Amino acid sequence: MHDPPSRRGFLNATLALGTAVAAGCSALPPSDDSGQSSEEPTPTEQSTPTEQPTPTPEPTQTPTEDPSLPELGTDFETDASGDGIPDLLVEHIADEEGLDEINPYRKNVLVEVDRVEGVAAEETLSFARSVFADAPVENPDGSTGIDVHFVVSSPIPEVESNASVLRDYHFGRDRTSMFERRHRGFRHLVVLDDLSTGWYADPWVLAVESGQGGRLVDALAAHLAGRFDPLLGAESEGPGDATTDQLWLPGAEDATADQLHEAIDWDLVAEHLPATTPSLQYYERKYAHLPEDSEVPPPDATADDLGPAVGDPEKDTSGDGFTDEELLEADAFAAFEPDPLRKNVFVEVDYQEGLSREIVEKRMQEIQDVFANGPVRNPDGSMGIDVHYVISNEITFDGSVRTDDLDAFRTEHFDHLLEGFFYMIFVDDVEDDRLGNLLGVAGHQGNLIFTQPSPSTPLHELGHSLGLYATRPGVDQREYSFREYPSAMNYNSPRHALVFASEGGDPITPNDWAIMERLLSDEQPNNSLLL
């Protein structure tokens, strides 16, 4: 996590200190002609030489000492174990996620676990972990099994136990940040006290009841094998229940380890595991400088590299379209304390009289969370985009808003005009003479947005404003399923899908985040009045 307010204060203090040092505020001792300090220690100050201890050698991983093992890859393509996680990222993921050491020569599965408050999950997870560890799946180091790494998040509030609620939670209607490890190679598991269908699964989320370890193993194995994924030849595309044939033991919620090892098609699990491993775009972007042939520079920018520190008033260190000086000095940005080492977006928000300000605030917080966790790399090594917003005015007007009214509203109510802000107005309804009623619209070169307060519509319209135009494949279309293009920009996305695509399935592989990152500086609104 980052803390922009304290970071900005630190940056300003650092720049001030740098100015003082440059002005000659130093207290170094005088030097003789040799360049050494003219002060020498007295005999009593000289220390007696002591024998230096023999340094302890750095520990090495056992697998690398075996010449029979394949060499681990140094790029994002090589995956020695065949689990879909590049060798280059294994150690970094383990360090960042606080996992025990991950063996790159064994197949690994990463699972974020959310559980309803008061529901015990450890016994269920422990059973599943042990069954997978002993599964008849061969690894390059001669061992068998799959290592499942569960990361248990904070408990979520109690919810009704049905599949639609699970989808809503996963896609963010009630808690956008519930699934914290999107784009990081993690699957999502929800453990409930009671689930009417016994279990639920789709290509993105899996849910089981607490205490049903056998059901969890069966359902997770089916998940890894792609049996819920139509792009991988799933036997059924709908939500699972106890009567479908997606599970190998559909009626055995408490199956034993031996029964599970015997019934599950482990060859199918191993075959499809790389394809079902979720996007790792977050870590691939964060460590883009590590491959041997990478042309991406290390993310090591500091306050000393900012424009004011190097005397360059036009420098834009983060590449977000604002100069470092503008982010640090502009009065319009002062209340947000933006970090010039991170990418920034600013939004002024108004809303129609009668709409709930609380809902408007919630929608903007959801947008903020989505961008903060996005797979976008900053020059200081942090990830994500900071969306700063201010809710300004409650606007009174009669009837539906028409797209013809865009410029009039912009002129009358936009307080931060020409100061680098997007302008978003939440309204009840939007009408267009050609298109009829709309959920939202982004106009005036994208920096003016009318939107209904439904969950994903504000995110969708801001996506348009940041370069995800309707001319791009999948955007504002129904040609591709949500599985093929998992994005709020897809007209086939669930209404609560607060997500941009980092990778898609065949036949297209759009990357919304890469597009927005590349175009961000060009799509920022006019900021000619900032300074």
Side-chain angles (χ1 to χ4, degrees), residues 271-327:
E271 177 187 351
H272 281 171
L273 179 56
T276 61
T277 294
S279 167
L280 285 152
Q281 188 71 200
Y282 181 96
Y283 285 118
E284 289 176 355
R285 289 293 297 122
K286 183 165 188 174
Y287 296 105
H289 59 289
L290 291 183
E292 291 182 344
D293 59 350
S294 175
E295 297 180 357
V296 178
D300 54 6
T302 68
D304 293 335
D305 301 307
L306 296 177
V310 299
D312 183 357
E314 300 302 318
K315 187 174 183 182
D316 173 12
T317 301
S318 68
D320 60 5
F322 299 107
T323 68
D324 302 339
E325 184 175 343
E326 288 171 339
L327 291 170

Side-chain angles (χ1 to χ4, degrees), residues 29-51:
S31 301
D32 59 18
D33 293 340
S34 67
Q36 300 296 320
S37 171
S38 60
E39 296 183 19
E40 296 183 0
T42 62
T44 57
E45 293 174 324
Q46 296 183 19
S47 58
T48 303
T50 58
E51 183 178 353

Side-chain angles (χ1 to χ4, degrees), residues 343 371 376 385 459 462-464 466-468 489 500-501 511-521 523:
K343 293 175 175 60
F371 278 91
V376 174
I385 298 174
L459 185 71
L462 185 57
H464 279 317
L466 293 173
L468 302 178
M489 307 308 295
F500 290 121
N511 189 328
D512 294 343
W513 287 107
I515 293 170
M516 289 189 290
E517 180 178 5
R518 186 176 71 250
L519 297 180
L520 181 58
S521 62
E523 299 297 337

Side-chain angles (χ1 to χ4, degrees), residues 125-196:
L125 302 181
S126 179
F127 176 79
R129 192 183 294 114
S130 65
V131 173
F132 275 95
D134 294 332
V137 174
E138 294 184 358
N139 293 299
D141 63 356
S143 66
T144 58
I146 298 173
D147 292 336
V148 178
H149 306 272
F150 293 112
V151 177
V152 182
S153 300
S154 300
I156 60 177
E158 186 173 355
V159 297
E160 297 178 28
S161 297
N162 60 64
S164 64
V165 170
L166 289 171
R167 283 195 294 270
D168 293 344
Y169 258 81
H170 177 65
F171 292 128
R173 181 174 72 176
D174 294 318
R175 184 173 174 178
T176 305
S177 60
M178 176 181 171
F179 185 28
E180 299 173 351
R181 293 169 177 82
R182 197 186 303 275
H183 314 298
R184 304 186 191 192
F186 277 77
R187 291 168 172 81
H188 189 201
L189 168 66
V190 181
V191 180
L192 297 163
D193 186 40
D194 178 50
L195 188 58
S196 58

